[in-house]
Amino acid sequence: MIQLILGEKGKGKTKILLDKVNSEIKTAHGNIVYLDKSTKHMFELNNKVRLIDVSGFELSNSDEFIGFIYGIISQDHDLEQMYLDSFLTIASIDSESVNGLLSRLAKIGENYQITFVVSASIPGTVIEDEFKECIIADL
């Protein structure tokens, strides 16, 4: 399953994502991972959420990003949710590639019962129809 938080840079997407992850940790039965481009929000996250600073892994394209996601999944069989902040940056993609990568994440989520909550600096109009119902915020 995928949930999307979309909008222009500086509109408050990260705040919504942080609020969501911190409220979900209270009722989660499995583990939660938060991927970001830095550790800037470390102290805003509940200490039960695993923060991964993706910038230290030098991912240069979407295939490497998917491999990185599989690596996380392979190390955590109790993984329930993944929060992806600054999606275009951490996945090393542009807005034209977002729908293809969302399709890949949706398939991974379905295969491993993981919910992906994605924050991206793109307008909702870029998202294909199959993902329109996944938009939980369009700022």
Side-chain angles (χ1 to χ4, degrees):
M1 176 183 177
I2 292 185
Q3 297 178 349
L4 301 171
I5 301 169
L6 309 174
E8 295 177 27
K9 187 173 181 164
K11 292 292 184 181
K13 295 179 302 299
T14 297
K15 169 96 170 90
I16 293 171
L17 196 66
L18 289 167
D19 289 345
K20 183 165 179 53
V21 70
N22 286 328
S23 67
E24 289 289 329
I25 195 69
K26 297 171 187 169
T27 59
H29 299 308
N31 296 327
I32 296 179
V33 173
Y34 189 101
L35 275 61
D36 203 350
K37 63 183 177 185
S38 71
T39 58
K40 178 180 174 182
H41 302 291
M42 178 187 311
F43 299 109
E44 297 172 67
L45 284 170
N46 183 298
N47 64 352
K48 294 178 183 170
V49 176
R50 179 175 172 208
L51 172 65
I52 299 175
D53 176 2
V54 178
S55 68
F57 294 95
E58 299 181 26
L59 305 176
S60 60
N61 59 52
S62 62
D63 288 334
E64 290 179 3
F65 178 73
I66 290 295
F68 186 73
I69 295 294
Y70 276 124
I72 294 167
I73 293 168
S74 73
Q75 292 296 308
D76 189 347
H77 298 288
D78 293 325
L79 186 59
E80 182 177 323
Q81 298 175 21
M82 290 187 80
Y83 289 77
L84 312 175
D85 198 4
S86 303
F87 183 59
L88 300 181
T89 302
I90 66 171
S92 299
I93 61 169
D94 56 25
S95 60
E96 293 156 11
S97 305
V98 74
N99 289 297
L101 191 51
L102 288 176
S103 293
R104 293 177 76 183
L105 286 177
K107 189 174 284 189
I108 293 169
E110 185 178 312
N111 289 342
Y112 296 96
Q113 290 77 52
I114 298 169
T115 299
F116 291 96
V117 183
V118 177
S119 167
S121 294
I122 55 173
T125 56
V126 172
I127 300 300
E128 291 179 355
D129 289 343
E130 71 177 292
F131 296 112
K132 292 284 187 191
E133 65 186 29
C134 300
I135 299 172
I136 60 173
D138 191 359
L139 309 171

